[in-house]
Amino acid sequence: MTKITLRIDGMMCPRCEAHMNETVTKAYPKAKVTSSHTKKETIIITNEAISDEKLRELVKDAGYTLFGINRAPYEKKSIIARLMK
């Protein structure tokens, strides 16, 4: 799995977060998506290969400005593993 963090400018409220989440989920229904207007980011966790160009297009079509993409491996941790930290 991959964690993709999109740095986005233009999200101003919780409705903007929902709009960005809906935009990504519509294009990639199996992806887990969360957005934060205060952190100016959208996080996508997916097994699908999503190109940078497609991500730029999604953000632009939603009416926002993309100013960074970061990819990192993502490993889902069990509840027990999180409690043992």
Side-chain angles (χ1 to χ4, degrees):
M1 294 186 94
T2 303
K3 177 181 175 181
I4 305 169
T5 303
L6 306 177
R7 302 292 298 158
I8 298 174
D9 191 30
M11 292 192 296
M12 301 293 187
C13 64
R15 181 64 194 133
C16 294
E17 297 170 358
H19 179 61
M20 195 61 226
N21 291 347
E22 290 167 10
T23 299
V24 175
T25 302
K26 188 175 180 182
Y28 299 97
K30 294 181 181 180
K32 180 181 176 192
V33 184
T34 57
S35 296
S36 170
H37 72 280
T38 55
K39 293 180 180 178
K40 297 184 177 192
E41 70 181 16
T42 294
I43 296 175
I44 304 167
I45 297 175
T46 185
N47 279 326
E48 296 180 64
I50 306 174
S51 70
D52 287 358
E53 186 58 39
K54 182 62 178 175
L55 293 170
R56 283 187 197 91
E57 182 182 313
L58 287 173
V59 174
K60 182 180 177 185
D61 289 349
Y64 306 112
T65 304
L66 179 66
F67 62 92
I69 301 172
N70 182 35
R71 296 174 188 270
Y74 178 81
E75 185 177 318
K76 186 175 180 179
K77 295 185 179 175
S78 69
I79 293 173
I80 294 172
R82 282 186 257 165
L83 292 174
M84 295 189 70
K85 274 186 152 181

